[in-house]
Amino acid sequence: MKKKLRILLVWTLISLLLQLGAYSLLNDQIQKVMQPVGSEPTALQLKTTIPGYGFTNVQISYAKDYLAYTENGALKIYNLKKKKVVFEKASPSGNDKALGVLSYQWLPDRSTLIYFYADKSFKQSGNSQNTELYSLELPSSDEDTAPDNRLNQALGNFPAGGKLEEFVVSTSTNLMYFTVKTGSTERLMEINVMKNVSTLSKSGETIDKMAASDQYGTLYIDSKIGSIQNIIAFDAGKRKLISRNAYDKVLGIKAGKVYIGEVKNNELVKIKTIIDRSKMTESPSLKTEWTGKIPFKNVSAFVGAKGQVVVYDNQTAYIVTAGQLKEVKLTGDQNYVSDDGAEIIQLSSQGTSTLVDLQALKS
């Protein structure tokens, strides 16, 4: 009897272990689908000539096969494989710079461009104008399928004549944040998953830079009210003080870290980090990751896919990786670095055309 009982217990235990193993395997597969492991950023070496010149706001897609740029007030998308323009959105007015495409940005994990568009045919009332938010989904660059241009929503309370300056997206939480400046007034606005638009900024507040957590949707901003400059986090709608050091600036967020730069006399002299948490505490302790000197006047700065801090102007890119600084000289008439830090986009004028030279940015 005891022997039979032992056999029963052994087989019961084996059955439970097999079930637990199956459940664990299933759970792992679900997690891979829900939260796919990020692959290495794509980097290409390619040269091509695009008709036209005077391009501005040049941005490359995450797969490095589409180039977005503005030419004569029109947004254009160029397929680098097919070597042709596959989408164009012109301004309804050549004279009014407050109309047309106000801002755009590639999503970091797919061939989708988000853009804001203001049309002169919209009715204006008071101090507001209707502005539309679109998502432009591009097919595989090997295909000839037309892009899918979708109207997401109309923003009825967008300030009339407003200049959209900062625009960040938290893809996993479907939160969007943007700043709109009209004269000396600036508004920080949020679009949530229900497509509701709200204003987050205080009266008289200006925002120099901001970054959104892709894990939690928390927004970090460089806030200035009067003479007081702080870094503020919007955590579940509540404002929390992150740093009261007037020299601290938000650089970006990547892999669970918020990167903060200390800038003195137009030089980046220190890079500090805090952990990006689901619930932020007031005045967290900042960890110093790097000290040195990098020019920080009229530059672009962000955190790449590997946690490298990239600062660049039109001549030089400075990359800080794991506490080590590297400098890369840029040779185009206009130079840009992809948002993941993997690619240099160098543009040079060739008469009425533009030579585009793509190279890997090795950090």
Side-chain angles (χ1 to χ4, degrees), residues 48-322:
T48 188
T49 301
I50 301 178
Y53 59 95
F55 301 164
T56 59
N57 195 10
V58 176
Q59 300 180 33
I60 197 164
S61 64
Y62 92 105
K64 312 300 187 299
D65 50 358
Y66 287 104
L67 201 67
Y69 57 92
T70 299
E71 181 185 12
N72 296 324
L75 166 64
K76 294 185 178 182
I77 308 295
Y78 187 86
N79 184 323
L80 290 165
K81 287 187 177 180
K82 295 283 188 179
K83 297 186 178 182
K84 64 179 182 180
V85 174
V86 294
F87 178 82
E88 182 173 351
K89 188 81 170 184
S91 172
S93 171
N95 299 321
D96 193 344
K97 294 183 178 180
L99 300 178
V101 176
L102 305 181
S103 183
Y104 51 89
Q105 180 178 308
W106 290 105
L107 293 184
D109 56 355
R110 70 202 78 162
S111 294
T112 299
L113 188 84
I114 304 294
Y115 70 92
F116 291 83
Y117 187 82
D119 193 302
K120 66 179 181 180
S121 66
F122 293 159
K123 295 180 180 179
Q124 297 189 8
S125 60
N127 295 320
S128 297
Q129 72 179 30
N130 287 329
T131 298
E132 295 177 326
L133 176 64
Y134 287 86
S135 62
L136 179 69
E137 296 183 14
L138 282 299
S140 169
S141 52
D142 295 320
E143 300 177 5
D144 290 320
T145 308
D148 184 6
N149 189 36
R150 297 182 182 180
L151 171 63
N152 285 344
Q153 69 183 106
L155 309 176
N157 60 346
F158 194 96
K163 182 181 179 181
L164 202 152
E165 296 193 328
E166 293 279 336
F167 173 35
V168 296
V169 180
S170 175
T171 52
S172 63
T173 62
N174 289 321
L175 290 172
M176 298 184 190
Y177 302 97
F178 57 96
T179 60
V180 185
K181 191 169 185 178
T182 50
S184 60
T185 302
E186 187 169 12
R187 296 189 200 178
L188 170 61
M189 309 183 79
E190 176 195 73
I191 303 176
N192 65 20
V193 68
M194 301 303 294
K195 298 187 177 182
N196 296 320
V197 183
S198 57
T199 300
L200 302 179
S201 51
K202 290 184 176 181
S203 176
E205 183 174 35
T206 58
I207 293 91
D208 182 49
K209 179 72 183 289
M210 62 186 189
S213 165
D214 197 46
Q215 295 183 76
Y216 310 113
T218 307
L219 180 70
Y220 299 83
I221 67 169
D222 293 338
S223 166
K224 184 177 181 180
I225 302 178
S227 61
I228 300 175
Q229 299 183 62
N230 295 317
I231 293 180
I232 301 293
F234 288 88
D235 182 7
K238 296 181 180 179
R239 298 172 69 104
K240 293 185 178 178
L241 177 67
I242 300 301
S243 172
R244 61 175 72 252
N245 184 343
Y247 297 110
D248 282 352
K249 310 290 182 184
V250 174
L251 297 175
I253 305 172
K254 194 63 64 178
K257 281 186 178 181
V258 182
Y259 291 76
I260 295 170
E262 189 172 312
V263 179
K264 293 182 178 180
N265 300 320
N266 294 321
E267 288 183 323
L268 177 65
V269 297
K270 189 179 292 186
I271 296 173
K272 300 172 279 191
T273 61
I274 58 174
I275 300 300
D276 180 27
R277 304 182 186 279
S278 58
K279 291 185 179 180
M280 295 301 302
T281 57
E282 295 271 350
S283 302
S285 177
L286 276 61
K287 178 184 177 183
T288 299
E289 304 275 357
W290 173 87
T291 58
K293 287 186 179 181
I294 294 174
F296 209 78
K297 184 177 181 180
N298 300 323
V299 298
S300 298
F302 62 92
V303 181
K306 296 181 180 180
Q308 74 274 36
V309 174
V310 180
V311 179
Y312 73 97
D313 56 22
N314 204 44
Q315 287 79 42
T316 309
Y318 303 86
I319 309 104
V320 178
T321 308

